[in-house]
């Protein structure tokens, strides 16, 4: 009887404390949403108060689920595993609240995008530098919490607790990803903006009407100067202003030479033909230093679609000739109308330079909403329309793990089952304004050894008018140069496999086709030349065998187009 009474007492005790802990945890949910709103509205005082309240509820939940009786009950078969899971989740929430939420709420106001920018457009860098320890510790705390939550065996707990574990794990992972991004930002942005001394950056404006792997040929360039949070446009140039060299300005890797030729390193227009933007940046920097005499601290590339997103934040800008550019018309104005309206290369270059300068001038305005601009830049980065290389090794090491480091880094970040589709124009014209591309990848079959037979399909369509050869400007069709008939879209379509994958052939419109194959640092790079007459469609299927058994979730991404 005594044992029975003791057991009943334990059940009542644990049940009561479990109910109280549940109430504490339920109180946390609305407070978490409330903090987000308060931080978003820059109400730091309110956010700190709410964070303290959230931490108190989390601490109480951890206390209620960690007393000796609760811990003793964890040895009971079936029930014990569930009790342990509740305790562990409560403990992790308490840690996250005290080590992440409360400290971040305290600095949120100082790194708010609105408060960082002064009336003259200068960015106050000191708060970003001061935030580094808090943000860095938050990253460590979230990574530790994620590991401990993942260690809870979901198969050993009942449905409601397993669901709570899954939701908590997802929330921690999302917070960890966001915090890692913030950590990288506060670690490198102050120096890039001149916190430790003046910097110079070369901006490459890509023209996606003539595709290159990274987005398009280089059509215009700009040199910007940063110092103590202030950004100034120093110099502009057209790509034609940068001289050609008979030999590459830097040694080129063998795979790049085979796939893209020496022109990768001899013409500024071609530096983004490689997926390795660290190479693109070094090549562009070397060419600029040779011709302009300025050694730059980094190189940044963006395409016209990306510029249009920026215009969504700045509003329309005036350009040479009395016109304006806006988010809705910038892409067509830059990549189609320019060639119909201006038949002189120098006039086209001047228009591109004017557009780039106007957008930069709008960016420098103190009236722009930083939050809207950040949203635009995030969209540009998500669509792979922005790439950054730093000449400073410590900063490049931070960038190298992000998609901002270019297409090669993006493929790496997508994991060991990621395929990349890179497009390079062969006509020298601007026909890619009329190119549509659809890409898909799937496991077609599984071999006896467990490896997957992967098929990556690229479907390309020309939307050029039937009479493109005569109706489109010569600068658009390039008039038959390089052996490509006017009006034809000519593209090298190169697919990079994941590391260690095996080549299994290529077909073009259902029939086997010859192709160029190169080993690029452990990745297979298979290249096929595709020519599309106006209105034509071609389908190319690249086949591979996965590097390892069980790789059944391949993913793919491609060079961004002007059509989205």
């Amino acid at each position: 009887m005594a044992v029975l009474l003791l057991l009943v007492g334990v059940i009542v005790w644990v049940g009561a404390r479990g109910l109280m802990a549940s109430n504490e945890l339920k109180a946390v949910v609305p407070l978490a949403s409330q903090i987000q709103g308060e931080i978003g509205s820059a109400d730091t005082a309110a956010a700190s108060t709410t964070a303290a309240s959230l931490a108190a509820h989390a601490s109480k939940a951890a206390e209620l689920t960690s007393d000796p009786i609760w811990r003793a009950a964890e040895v009971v078969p079936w029930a014990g595993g569930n009790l342990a899971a509740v305790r562990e989740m409560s403990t992790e929430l308490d840690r996250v609240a005290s080590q992440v939420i409360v400290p971040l709420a305290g600095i949120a106001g100082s790194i708010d995008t609105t408060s960082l920018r002064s009336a003259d457009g200068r960015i106050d860098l000191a708060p970003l530098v001061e935030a580094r320890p808090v943000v860095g510790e938050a990253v460590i705390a979230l990574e530790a919490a994620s590991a401990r939550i993942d260690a809870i065996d979901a198969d050993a707990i009942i449905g409601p607790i397993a669901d709570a574990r899954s939701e908590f794990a997802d929330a921690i992972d999302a917070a960890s990803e966001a915090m890692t991004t913030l950590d990288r930002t506060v670690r490198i942005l102050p120096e890039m903006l001149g916190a430790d001394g003046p910097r110079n950056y070369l901006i490459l404006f890509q023209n996606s009407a003539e595709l290159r792997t990274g987005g398009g040929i280089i059509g215009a360039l700009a040199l910007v100067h940063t110092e103590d949070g202030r950004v100034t446009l120093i110099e502009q140039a057209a790509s034609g202003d940068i001289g050609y060299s008979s030999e590459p300005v830097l040694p080129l890797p063998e795979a790049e030479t085979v796939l893209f030729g020496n022109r990768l390193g001899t013409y500024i227009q071609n530096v983004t033909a490689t997926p390795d933007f660290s190479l693109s940046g070094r090549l562009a920097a070397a060419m600029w230093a040779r011709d302009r005499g300025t050694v730059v601290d980094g190189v940044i590339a963006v395409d016209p679609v990306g510029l249009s997103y920026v215009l969504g934040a700045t509003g329309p800008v005036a350009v040479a000739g009395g016109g304006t550019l806006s988010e809705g018309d910038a892409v067509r104005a830059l990549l189609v109308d320019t060639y119909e309206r201006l038949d002189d290369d120098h006039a086209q270059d001047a228009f591109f330079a004017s557009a780039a300068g106007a957008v930069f001038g709008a960016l420098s305005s103190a009236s722009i909403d930083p939050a809207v601009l950040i949203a635009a830049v995030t969209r540009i980065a998500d669509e792979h329309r922005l790439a950054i290389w730093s000449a400073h090794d410590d900063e490049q090491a931070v960038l190298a793990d992000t998609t901002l480091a270019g297409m090669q880094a993006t493929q790496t970040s997508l994991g060991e089952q990621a395929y990349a589709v890179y497009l390079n124009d062969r006509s020298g014209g601007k026909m890619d304004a009329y190119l549509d591309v659809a890409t898909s990848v799937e496991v077609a079959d599984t071999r006896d050894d467990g490896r997957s037979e992967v098929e990556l399909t690229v479907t390309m369509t020309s939307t050029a008018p039937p009479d493109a050869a005569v109706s489109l400007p010569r600068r658009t069709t390039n008039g038959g140069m390089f052996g490509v008939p006017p009006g034809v879209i000519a593209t090298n379509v190169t697919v990079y496999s994941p590391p260690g994958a095996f080549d299994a052939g290529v077909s073009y419109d259902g029939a086997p086709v010859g192709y160029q194959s190169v080993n690029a640092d452990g990745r297979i790079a298979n290249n096929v030349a595709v020519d599309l007459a106006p209105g034509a469609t071609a389908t190319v299927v690249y086949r591979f065998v996965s590097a390892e058994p069980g790789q059944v979730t391949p993913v793919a991404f491609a060079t961004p187009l002007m059509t989205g």
Side-chain angles (χ1 to χ4, degrees), residues 127-152:
L128 295 176
V129 175
E130 293 166 0
R132 286 172 176 168
V134 172
V135 175
E137 290 170 7
V139 169
I140 294 171
L142 287 168
E143 289 176 348
S146 178
R148 286 189 285 260
I149 293 299
D150 286 346
I152 298 174

Side-chain angles (χ1 to χ4, degrees), residues 188-363:
I188 67 172
L189 186 61
E191 280 69 27
M192 291 184 70
L193 291 177
D196 291 341
R199 295 279 187 95
N200 291 307
Y201 291 92
L202 182 63
I203 313 296
L204 308 178
F205 297 97
Q206 299 186 91
N207 184 336
S208 41
E210 184 177 344
L211 286 171
R212 294 293 183 268
T213 291
I217 65 162
I218 308 307
L221 305 91
L223 182 69
V224 298
H225 179 82
T226 66
E227 189 167 358
D228 194 27
R230 193 181 306 280
V231 183
T232 308
L233 178 62
I234 300 297
E235 185 178 357
Q236 290 183 262
S239 58
D241 297 332
I242 307 301
Y244 156 81
S245 58
S246 59
E247 295 294 330
V249 292
L250 296 173
L252 299 178
E254 182 179 355
E256 265 79 359
T257 302
V258 173
L259 288 168
F260 311 115
N262 276 350
R263 294 168 70 91
L264 170 66
T266 59
Y267 284 91
I268 189 73
Q269 292 92 332
N270 289 327
V271 296
T272 53
T274 171
D276 180 3
F277 191 72
S278 68
L279 176 58
S280 301
R282 287 184 283 115
L283 290 169
M287 293 178 189
W288 184 268
R290 179 198 63 200
D291 285 14
R292 299 289 170 142
T294 302
V295 176
V296 298
D297 294 280
V299 176
I300 301 169
V302 66
D303 74 2
V305 177
L307 289 181
S308 76
Y309 298 160
V310 172
L311 288 171
T314 66
V317 296
V319 292
T324 61
L325 287 181
S326 67
E327 180 180 17
D329 63 20
V331 175
R332 180 173 178 83
L334 290 169
L335 301 184
V336 179
D337 296 347
T338 297
Y339 301 105
E340 296 177 352
R341 186 170 55 87
L342 304 171
D343 58 5
D344 177 77
D345 286 351
H346 294 294
Q348 293 163 3
D349 289 343
F351 180 73
F352 290 138
S354 170
V359 173
F360 184 85
L363 277 174

